[in-house]
Amino acid sequence: MMKRTLSILFIIVLTTFTAACNEKAPEKPIIEGVEKGKVYDDGIKITVKNKQKDVVYKSFINEEPYELGVTFDENGKHTVKVIAEQNEKETETTVSFEIDDVPPKKPIVNGVEEGKIYADSVEIDFEKEEGVSYSVKIDEEPYKLNTPYKKEGKHRLSILATKESNKLTVEKEVTFTIDHTTYTKKEVEYFTEIALGSEYGGDPYVKKWLEDIYIKVQGNPKNADLETIDKVVKELNDIIKTVNIQVIKENEDTKENVNIYFVPQGDFRKYIPNATLGNWAYFTYFPKTNGEITEAIITIGTFGSDQIDRDHQIREELTQILGLGNDSPKYEDSIFHEDEGQSLNLSYSKLDKKVIELLYRKDIEIGMREKEILETLDERTK
């Protein structure tokens, strides 16, 4: 009996051992959501494909426990390991990957500055970042770094930086202008004389309009006066490219910032309280502390003046409210000539046009004083 019992126990143990030995290990986990050696520019969710029944899965990233299906977004190089466990048997799969959500640095450009105007040419360069490729264009055409670019006009530099590891990009744009216009020393000197100061004194720095000018005519102008205003405005708009001048027509719903009053000389102080008596015409403008002119008033005398007088006065005062407030004895054919008894000029001289043009260049900025003006114009003064 004893022998029979031992035989039965032996058979049971042997059967159990044989069955355990015949049990297969779980299939190797198939990891989804991440690929070997790939660089990701955002967080990822890692899962296991076709999970087996009764198999326990354990997952780790860099040997730290990781819950499958949860977003992982830590920058750096990583290894995920998934272990499949069943009946005390294990299989595992590992995948190495990288997360890099940092874009390349925006290039710091040398040789050209935003909004700046250049007299000749520019040579552009920038410091390159390792592991980044660059596409450099000017006006959508490829540009080779450190080569002279001198095409006249307004241009847009575009540098597209692409990080090779994650393909993230960043773009740097710079707009600039190349202007080959030159001026004579005489033109620059006359400009600084007329623009820095005023007929009756003032601080020697640049004052000018930055916004469009809207003129309202009031009082008792003659038709010829209105025609002269229109003529002068057209000529000024042909010279000035940075602001526009417009005469407000009757019944037009536009707010004026310049008023021209055609009134008897004795009424000047009704409109300009500090007007100097004895003048045939008078003007004043109102600049902000930074030099931007925002409003102006002109009075044109109607008592005892003839059309030639008024045509000259209209041209002179409209020009001076632009920020060209000074008179000079130097050139008799200039609208800024201080002795009207000698010259009632009815047109702009070539020098006058250059003075107006200079004031309304973009690189001649409000608040500039003589030294800054001369430095700005140095390369283009011949």
Side-chain angles (χ1 to χ4, degrees), residues 6 97 104 120 196 200 203 208 234 315 339 353 356 362 365 377-378:
L6 289 172
F97 64 97
D120 187 16
L196 300 182
Y200 299 102
D203 292 329
K208 66 179 182 178
K234 182 180 183 306
R315 181 176 291 272
D339 192 344
K353 291 179 181 178
I356 298 166
K362 284 187 176 181
E365 300 175 355
L377 297 175
D378 181 60

Side-chain angles (χ1 to χ4, degrees), residues 228-349:
T228 299
I229 292 173
D230 287 340
K231 179 182 178 182
V232 173
V233 165
K234 182 180 183 306
E235 290 179 30
L236 290 173
N237 281 329
D238 288 341
I239 299 169
I240 299 170
K241 304 305 179 186
T242 50
V243 298
N244 185 65
I245 306 171
Q246 178 181 327
V247 180
I248 300 173
K249 302 303 181 184
E250 192 174 352
N251 299 323
E252 187 177 337
D253 187 23
T254 302
K255 177 61 178 175
E256 75 278 4
N257 47 22
V258 174
N259 281 284
I260 303 179
Y261 297 97
F262 285 83
V263 294
Q265 290 86 317
D267 291 343
F268 279 8
R269 287 190 171 176
K270 292 180 180 179
Y271 307 100
I272 305 176
N274 63 344
T276 301
L277 298 178
N279 282 294
W280 290 92
Y282 204 83
F283 80 93
T284 188
Y285 52 63
F286 303 93
K288 296 179 181 179
T289 55
N290 64 357
E292 179 188 0
I293 301 172
T294 58
E295 186 181 353
I297 300 172
I298 296 172
T299 52
I300 304 292
T302 57
F303 181 75
S305 61
D306 60 25
Q307 194 59 51
I308 291 178
D309 290 331
R310 291 195 303 278
D311 286 350
H312 168 80
Q313 291 151 9
I314 290 167
R315 181 176 291 272
E316 180 181 15
E317 306 307 306
L318 274 174
T319 308
Q320 291 192 304
I321 65 162
L322 296 175
L324 298 166
N326 208 8
D327 283 341
S328 170
K330 286 185 178 177
Y331 307 104
E332 288 190 9
D333 63 342
S334 172
I335 195 66
F336 306 109
H337 192 262
E338 68 181 9
D339 192 344
E340 294 183 1
Q342 293 183 21
S343 56
L344 286 176
N345 295 308
L346 303 178
S347 62
Y348 293 125
S349 68

Side-chain angles (χ1 to χ4, degrees), residues 14-25:
L14 181 63
T15 303
T16 304
F17 176 77
T18 303
C21 289
N22 289 335
E23 287 181 351
K24 295 181 179 179

Side-chain angles (χ1 to χ4, degrees), residues 45-61:
K45 292 182 179 181
I46 302 171
T47 57
V48 172
K49 182 179 181 181
N50 299 330
K51 285 185 178 181
Q52 291 178 270
K53 187 178 180 181
D54 298 327
V55 174
V56 175
Y57 294 91
K58 298 177 181 178
S59 53
F60 305 85
I61 294 180

Side-chain angles (χ1 to χ4, degrees), residues 112 115-122 138-139 149-157 174-181 362 380:
V112 67
K116 192 169 181 180
I117 301 173
Y118 298 88
D120 187 16
S121 63
V122 296
I138 296 179
D139 301 333
Y149 186 86
K150 56 196 327 178
K151 183 178 179 181
E152 196 165 20
K154 186 174 182 180
H155 305 290
R156 183 177 71 90
L157 167 71
V174 180
T175 57
F176 64 97
T177 300
I178 294 178
D179 174 11
H180 296 159
T181 304
K362 284 187 176 181
R380 59 181 79 250

